Amino acid sequence: MIIVSHSAKIAEGIQDLMKEMAPSVPIHLAGGLEDGSIGTDVTRILAALDQVEGEALLLSDIGSATMNAELAIDMYEGSKEVAFFDGPIVESAFIASVSSGNDMSLTDIVEQLKQQ
């Protein structure tokens, strides 16, 4: 899973919370800008995608984070299955982490998220 947030602190907080809920699920971050300021950057999202092993689910907070997550998926040239869900980021991260920790497929996780 990749958390795309305008704030590195928000992304880190979600990662910390999800480690408590599903410690075996890797959470990658694309929060804030390189200099630590608020914002999102497609290159940071693509770099996080490169770190993922297997399938990747992107979750974003608001506005341009959503736009940049979608753009990163469009720009991605790798072979990993990548999905995006636009919903409440904390709740979605919780559902996705627990489901992934229970070996649910990416497709099934996205379907489950759509029903929340």
Side-chain angles (χ1 to χ4, degrees):
M1 182 173 2
I2 299 172
I3 303 298
V4 181
S5 174
H6 284 77
S7 168
K9 290 179 182 179
I10 288 173
E12 291 164 4
I14 292 171
Q15 182 184 47
D16 290 344
L17 183 59
M18 293 313 114
K19 282 182 182 177
E20 292 292 320
M21 302 297 159
S24 66
V25 176
I27 309 288
H28 302 276
L29 307 179
L33 298 177
E34 189 67 34
D35 65 1
S37 62
I38 299 292
T40 61
D41 181 350
V42 172
T43 58
R44 290 175 63 88
I45 301 167
L46 290 169
L49 269 170
D50 287 339
Q51 296 174 4
V52 171
E53 293 181 22
E55 304 169 327
L57 173 64
L58 279 71
L59 301 173
S60 66
D61 54 15
I62 56 173
S64 63
T66 299
M67 182 179 63
N68 282 333
E70 292 171 334
L71 180 58
I73 291 172
D74 289 343
M75 294 173 62
Y76 178 65
E77 295 179 348
S79 60
K80 298 170 190 159
E81 183 179 354
V82 180
F84 170 70
F85 182 74
D86 184 16
I89 193 167
V90 176
E91 293 87 344
S92 299
F94 172 77
I95 291 167
S97 293
V98 172
S99 298
S100 179
N102 288 319
D103 296 324
M104 189 178 284
S105 73
L106 180 60
T107 302
D108 289 341
I109 291 170
V110 172
E111 285 303 313
Q112 185 177 29
L113 288 169
K114 288 178 182 177
Q115 295 178 26
Q116 63 171 324

